Amino acid sequence: RARGGRGSVQLWQAWARLEEKSGEERAALALYGKASSLYPRDVQLLLEAAKLHDKRGDVSAALAALAKATAVDPARPYVYQVTGQLLLRQLRVGEARATFAEGVRRAEAAAARGRGARR
């Protein structure tokens, strides 16, 4: 079981970013993978890995990481934003449009549930 919470996750991210900025993108991806195995419910780790996969031209791996992020937190708008933008860059306009629409729908539903809980 992983210990250290979000602070430890941030250390993993900082280390992965150091490797990426040093030109060691494979090492960065390995670190994101290790961190994600320790913190499988951390959406930010998955997002960062997806962005790096996309930067390296591995759209399949990027979309797989984004799908995992969506599964972990289906109401997180930024996951849909990143996914939609990636699809748009691939000229997959219809899929991007559907992704944005789904993100809005889920975010609005989550917000409505939150408002209902406070009443």
Side-chain angles (χ1 to χ4, degrees), residues 2-3 22 34 45 60 72 79 82-83 86 88 102 108-109:
R3 296 188 178 263
S22 299
K34 175 69 173 170
L45 285 171
S60 302
V72 170
V79 176
V82 172
T83 305
L86 185 154
L88 191 56
E102 181 67 11
E108 291 294 321

Side-chain angles (χ1 to χ4, degrees), residues 33-47:
K34 175 69 173 170
S36 291
S37 72
L38 294 170
Y39 301 94
R41 301 204 45 82
D42 194 282
V43 172
Q44 196 60 41
L45 285 171
L46 295 165
L47 281 166

Side-chain angles (χ1 to χ4, degrees), residues 84-105:
Q85 289 170 340
L86 185 154
L87 291 167
L88 191 56
R89 282 192 304 278
Q90 297 297 311
L91 304 178
R92 295 162 65 174
V93 176
E95 290 174 81
R97 186 178 289 119
T99 297
F100 290 134
E102 181 67 11
V104 167
R105 185 186 72 74

